[in-house]
Amino acid sequence: MPTWISHVGGYTDLGTRVLIIGLAAMATNLLVGHSGVMAFGHAAYFGLSAYGTGLFIKYLLPSTPLGFIAGVLLGTAGGAIIGYLLAKLRGIYFALATIAFGQVFYFIAFRWNAVTGGDNGLTFQRQPIDLGFTTLSITSSQVYYYLALLAFAVCAALMAILLRSPFGHTLLAMRENERRARFLSIPVNRHLWIAYTISCLFVAVAGSLYGMLNNFVSPHNLHWTQSGDFVLMAVIGGMRSFWGPLLGAAIFVVLQDQLSSLTDNWMFFIGVIFVLVVLFIPRGIVGLMQRKTS
């Protein structure tokens, strides 16, 4: 229920933002935590999807479902193409390449003023959904929360099914020992490309929802620092757990909202939490909770 957020001094849109950013963090962790490669470029597909949705609704057809589909397809296609180019890289080279490709999209959005609005961003308006027998007005914060909750639940269920499938177990084998996986004749590069694309699909869903939440998208949504935030959330919550990134996202988003109203240096306090987690609970908050209950 959206009323849970009121207990931490929040509001409905903040609860929606926790769900959406949590989905993006979980999608990033699908690659980083469960596949074992370090990626700092997922904001590119997050922002690309948000721009795709906004541009479709504003310039082509004022339809929320079609705009959502267009944005998700654009973000996923971008991830599939870049993932294919990165599949043979590993380690620091993979991480730096994800940042480099992500920054390409950022500078395109920043410079292409005529289409994206440049540094001023792109403003649009999410439209009511015509269900045939009735019209669902998603301009209401309460209604949009439940729409985001439904999308989150579907994506989380699909991710859980994926990780429990033979493909998911193969990703874990690659994470634990890639050389042994190759000895077992597993096509590691192809599996990594597929995992990268699937991860980008889920982060694209989050990006489209985030753009419609704010009715606005800016180049900042494509910046590599946004990707770093997704990874940071996963680390705080627990990279090797399924729900850890959602917990990390909730902590990050709520603290950001509360602290940014008090000080411009709010990121300092997030950084302190991150350092403490890395030093004392490297498996994240969920890992600590599991250790205490075992």
Side-chain angles (χ1 to χ4, degrees), residues 31 35 87 90 166-171 174 185-198:
L31 186 69
S35 300
R90 293 295 184 274
F167 179 80
H169 289 294
T170 302
L171 294 182
M174 290 164 49
S185 300
I186 294 174
V188 171
N189 291 344
R190 186 172 67 188
H191 276 74
L192 180 59
W193 175 46
I194 295 172
Y196 193 95
T197 303
I198 294 173

Side-chain angles (χ1 to χ4, degrees), residues 24 91 107 112 173 284:
F107 282 109
W112 204 0

